[in-house]
Amino acid sequence: MRLSRYFLPVLKETPAEAQIVSHRYMLRAGMIKQAQAGIYSWLPLGYKVLKRIEQIVHEEQQRAGHIAMLMPTLQSADLWRESGRYEDYGQEMLRIKDRHDRDMLYGPTNEELITDIFRSYVKSYKELPLTLYHVQWKFRDEVRPRFGVMRGREFLMKDGYNFDLTKEDALHAYNRHLVSYLRTYERMGLQAIPMRADGGPIGGDYTHEFLVLAETGESEVFYDSEITDLSFGDRQIDYDSVEQCHAVLEEFTSRYARTDETHEEALFAQVPEERRRTARGIEVGQIFYFGTKYSEAMGAVVQDQSGAQVPVHMGSHGIGVSRLLGAIIEASHDDKGIIWPEGVTPFHCGIVNLKQGDAEADAACEALYASLEALGLEPLYDDRNERAGGKFATMDLIGLPWRITVGPRGLKNGVVEVTSRRTGESEEMPPEQAVAKIAKIYGKAL
Ligand code: ATP
Ligand code: MG
């Protein structure tokens, strides 16, 4: 993309309404625009990151054997009456009437709708296990929408639902989700710690929230500092293996780590004092096993091996896709702007032309741009007639992890400069080598 043809409405001033750094930078970098309280338009740069995050979520869900689909945002109130949640859900549910005076709602979550789909088609244990998921907009009429996309009213969520014959099978599905979530967050450059949580309106005894530690997080958390040494890395996991998935659950949840909802001082006191931590965290996901709560209420039964009709065991699993943009920025920024991890960056690298209009510099930038694109990478070329300082400030603010700077002086010596946004370190090298370096970082073969 050439910046002169892009739509990147960068703000110079810090918007007064933004209280936390991720919200400030998302507004300043022209990623989002508030449409109403807690409802945002995703401007091109923000939309690009949102799509990158969504793509990682899809890849990791499918790697775990989960099946993508799409359910509507508007749901019928009748289904929610069947589960009893239409009355229970309270003010957070946006209730709507259609022209025939029928009660509808904008889905805050999808247990009812998916259970209805399941009961319509699945009749036998032979069709299990089954895990379906989608990535769809949700609406929750939060009392205090704030912090930009972190606590929106309209937000994008991945929500998945497992259907299993037995509790044991459903707990395997739970563990499989835990593993897939660990991988998902790590690919986004995040450490998200599974913490014992509370079921809330979804219900259920088995539930973990995934928290990214950040001062601006809304949850208070208590944990054993040893847990922050764990990483999933690139280990290979057989998602069908009950033992392997369970071992990961054990490894990542055996140390004390809880949100304030489930915190127990007496248990926490058993952690050696020097390892006890109290901090704040951003909830970026949650997994639940809730047994037959919805299947019994809504008649989602299958025939088991003995011919008996039994309600299926279910769980639901959510990732806050749009909230993740805020969480990533909270975890990765400096005083100049965002620092995108390579896994989610909107453009793979920036190209800054120090002297637009200089025939040599222009030609070198064009050549770099073409070579990077030919490798399947997306560079953002700042080809505007602007001062170098302004170009650098924009690149720093929007946070592309790598920048190639091209100017007449370097070109005389046959070099361009490659700069890491994270470390600030620059290295001079011939343009072909710069392309090779960027290609290698993103795992592209030359
Ligand atoms: P919270 O406690 O933050 O209100 P929740 O526990 O009610 O969230 P879940 O039902 O677990 O939310 O939804 C799954 C994920 O969706 C959450 O882990 C979070 O990342 C995201 N999410 C929930 N509410 C919002 C919101 N208002 N804005 C943005 N993301 C949200
Ligand atoms: Mg939650």
Side-chain angles (χ1 to χ4, degrees), residues 406-434:
V406 181
R409 210 177 315 154
L411 287 176
K412 281 213 172 65
N413 302 319
V415 295
V416 296
E417 195 183 61
V418 177
T419 307
S420 155
R421 174 71 182 85
R422 192 167 292 281
T423 65
E425 278 164 28
S426 293
E427 226 188 314
E428 291 194 328
M429 60 188 80
E432 312 76 63
Q433 214 174 303

Side-chain angles (χ1 to χ4, degrees), residues 140 209 283 285-286 288:
R140 294 183 188 172
E209 286 180 351
E283 182 196 328
Q286 186 163 9
F288 300 88

Side-chain angles (χ1 to χ4, degrees), residues 259-272:
T259 62
D260 49 5
E261 290 162 349
T262 56
H263 178 57
E264 282 179 40
E265 266 311 322
L267 283 178
F268 191 45
Q270 290 168 18
V271 177

Side-chain angles (χ1 to χ4, degrees), residues 74-81 86-87 93-106:
L74 293 178
Q75 303 184 20
S76 145
D78 288 341
L79 273 181
W80 286 67
R81 291 196 175 101
Y86 189 63
E87 305 310 327
M93 180 186 277
L94 181 65
R95 295 154 208 260
I96 308 164
K97 275 195 196 292
D98 72 6
R99 70 201 299 165
H100 306 292
D101 214 31
R102 276 191 286 255
D103 292 321
M104 299 168 72
L105 57 102
Y106 196 119

Side-chain angles (χ1 to χ4, degrees), residues 61 66 131 158 173-181 287 317:
Q61 285 310 299
H66 306 158
T131 296
K158 169 261 159 182
Y174 184 88
N175 299 348
R176 204 172 59 223
H177 279 87
L178 181 124
V179 176
S180 71
Y181 280 25
I287 54 178
H317 315 274

Side-chain angles (χ1 to χ4, degrees), residues 38 89 92 108-109 111 138-142 144-146 148-159 181 185 197-202 207-210 218-219 261 282-288 316-324:
Y89 215 91
E92 271 191 22
T109 176
E111 282 79 7
K138 302 289 182 294
F139 195 94
R140 294 183 188 172
D141 205 353
E142 303 271 355
R144 274 188 75 203
R146 56 184 185 153
V149 300
M150 291 270 228
R151 184 162 296 283
R153 292 198 293 165
E154 185 187 55
F155 59 96
L156 191 60
M157 194 207 284
K158 169 261 159 182
D159 43 323
Y181 280 25
Y185 299 121
D198 185 66
I202 312 257
T207 177
H208 282 91
E209 286 180 351
F210 289 77
E218 290 186 283
S219 315
E261 290 162 349
I282 301 166
E283 182 196 328
V284 291
Q286 186 163 9
I287 54 178
F288 300 88
S316 69
H317 315 274
I319 293 182
V321 174
S322 51
R323 178 180 285 181
L324 272 165

